[in-house]
Amino acid sequence: MHQIIIKGVNSARLLTGKNISSQQLGRVIPRNVKQFSSLLNNTKATKTQKKTFSIINRAIKREQNNTAISIENVVGATFESSSERFRAGTLFRNTWNHQFRNLSKSYCGKMAPILAPTVKLNNGYEMPVLGLGTYESKDNEGEIAVKHAIDVGYRHIDTAYFYKNEAEIGKAIRDKIAEGVVKREDIFLVTKLWSIHHEPERVEGACRKQLQLLGLDYIDLYLMHLPVAYKYVDEDTLLPKNEDGVLQMTDADYLDTYKAMEQLVKLGLVRSIGVSNFNSEQLQRVLDNCEIKPVTNQVECSPALNQRKLTQYCKERGVTLTAYCPLGRPRPAENKPDFYYSEKTKALAEKYKKTPAQIILRYLVDIGTIPIPKSANPQRITENFNIFDFKLSEEDIATMDAFHTGERLVPFNLIKGQNHKYWPFNIEF
């Protein structure tokens, strides 16, 4: 439908009498032309004012090939003298303030947020290319973080049974649905099967318990958290150890676990399934033997471990790569990681008028990954999301590529130390 859009700062001020930030521009859609004309014509006005309305309406209707009509441009092009433009602008503003006060509040007081672009998965579902990580966000912290994230525009939320926060995450989502901020289908919720539940007979029960904790009817994406199985003791013993403090693992085959996860899709409990912390050979083994393809491989990925080869490998097979720890867990007291505090990153931040975190996240999106930065700080949650109004040049991507060292923050040393056959990092990628 043909619509009138507030397209510039002056247009916004003209119609609302308010200053509107550049982030909000292009998102105020008052009415379509017919409704707008009707409202103006029914407004109590002097003959001069009605004449002004009539002139503007005709000018708007002439813009039939424009899907976004700038009120500022129409007024500017329609009236020759500055006094006429001023009078028209004042008339528009007064009409807006008095006749459309509720509409003004609706659109200008509580704008619909800009959403992240999405990528189509190999099963047809859409996954936002940026998500909120919630590792170590517990108690009220996780709930508050997710609610703020949804208000900002996040629709991709990542959690796990291991994080022990699914109840809070689910509550935050349900509350936002109840408020009318989002519908369930707007949210792309990711959670994970923990390693104590790898025996095929435990998979469905684990998933149902997680749905109960979340308070939701289905999970958008269910991942196998690790290719390595741990000994089951009870539901709360997530890292089972013997009296010597040695992690207790089993030889359960991740392929059997994955086949049990396929049944969850058939039961309607989850829409998509995938893996996490799998190397290329492990992923290929799943692809060679599965009935339902994994849609993503969630792995550690940052400028220090940019996963270029694994990303390409996944892409060639129709699998996305989700990036956890994308910012490398910044430690300001140590000025670590290097890529975050580097003068080169700071120079790029200055060039694009962004922060180092925004440069890093944009880099990861530009090289084809789906970062899920974790934060419980409202300001940083907002900052991390504000990366869709710029792209890095090829030269600047090359600058960020140079930070790659292959060093891991999460090497799973407890598994490595026992030389488990499924420890994923014994090959290059």
Side-chain angles (χ1 to χ4, degrees), residues 67-243:
T67 56
I69 300 171
S70 166
I71 297 299
E72 177 193 2
N73 292 344
V74 169
V75 170
T78 305
F79 299 98
E80 294 182 3
S81 72
S82 58
S83 61
E84 287 177 318
R85 286 197 295 271
F86 177 80
R87 186 168 62 247
T90 301
L91 179 58
F92 260 83
R93 185 172 62 251
N94 289 343
T95 301
W96 185 270
N97 285 341
H98 290 97
Q99 299 298 114
F100 314 137
R101 189 179 302 276
N102 291 335
L103 188 61
S104 174
K105 287 179 180 178
S106 173
Y107 281 98
C108 302
K110 193 174 183 180
M111 297 275 187
I114 292 174
L115 304 181
T118 60
V119 60
K120 183 168 281 192
L121 303 174
N122 59 41
N123 59 3
Y125 287 108
E126 301 274 343
M127 181 181 188
V129 300
L130 182 75
L132 177 74
T134 63
Y135 178 58
E136 293 185 334
S137 292
K138 296 179 181 177
D139 304 319
N140 234 24
E141 187 182 73
E143 182 183 336
I144 292 169
V146 170
K147 285 182 176 180
H148 178 73
I150 290 173
D151 286 340
V152 168
Y154 287 80
R155 297 295 180 261
H156 175 176
I157 310 295
D158 182 275
T159 183
Y161 186 78
F162 182 68
Y163 302 168
K164 295 186 176 181
N165 63 9
E166 287 172 309
E168 298 93 78
I169 304 306
K171 182 180 184 303
I173 293 170
R174 295 195 315 273
D175 285 353
K176 284 299 170 182
I177 292 171
E179 290 173 23
V181 177
V182 289
K183 298 176 182 177
R184 173 63 186 94
E185 57 267 29
D186 297 330
I187 298 294
F188 191 91
L189 176 67
V190 184
T191 192
K192 308 174 190 79
L193 177 79
W194 185 234
S195 295
I196 62 172
H197 296 131
H198 273 215
E199 285 77 11
E201 62 272 16
R202 295 192 186 278
V203 171
E204 183 182 334
C207 181
R208 288 188 183 277
K209 179 181 180 181
Q210 288 173 266
L211 281 168
Q212 187 176 22
L213 287 168
L214 291 161
L216 299 173
D217 294 332
Y218 67 90
I219 293 162
D220 293 275
L221 174 55
Y222 197 52
L223 306 179
M224 193 187 317
H225 207 144
L226 281 165
V228 179
Y230 296 169
K231 179 182 178 181
Y232 181 86
V233 176
D234 57 48
E235 291 296 308
D236 298 318
T237 306
L238 304 185
L239 293 172
K241 297 178 181 179
N242 64 16
E243 58 273 13

Side-chain angles (χ1 to χ4, degrees), residues 251-318:
D251 289 331
D253 191 334
Y254 59 81
L255 195 57
D256 293 333
T257 307
Y258 189 85
K259 288 179 178 179
M261 290 171 62
E262 291 179 322
Q263 299 305 310
L264 305 177
V265 178
K266 296 174 183 179
L267 290 169
L269 302 178
V270 306
R271 289 186 167 180
S272 306
I273 52 177
V275 296
S276 181
N277 298 300
F278 275 49
N279 63 34
S280 58
E281 292 178 356
Q282 292 168 333
L283 176 62
Q284 190 62 55
R285 184 166 175 249
V286 171
L287 289 168
D288 289 343
N289 293 278
C290 70
E291 185 181 347
I292 300 173
K293 284 180 67 171
V295 299
T296 200
N297 184 14
Q298 184 180 125
V299 297
E300 180 184 346
C301 180
S302 71
L305 183 68
N306 63 26
Q307 300 285 13
R308 284 284 208 166
K309 291 182 179 179
L310 185 57
T311 301
Q312 184 61 31
Y313 189 90
C314 289
K315 183 179 180 181
E316 290 169 357
R317 289 152 181 80

Side-chain angles (χ1 to χ4, degrees), residues 4 10 12 18 52 76 85 96 138 257 266 339 342 350:
I4 304 167
N10 291 335
K18 300 178 182 179
T52 301
R85 286 197 295 271
W96 185 270
K138 296 179 181 177
T257 307
K266 296 174 183 179
F339 64 79
S342 166
E350 186 173 338

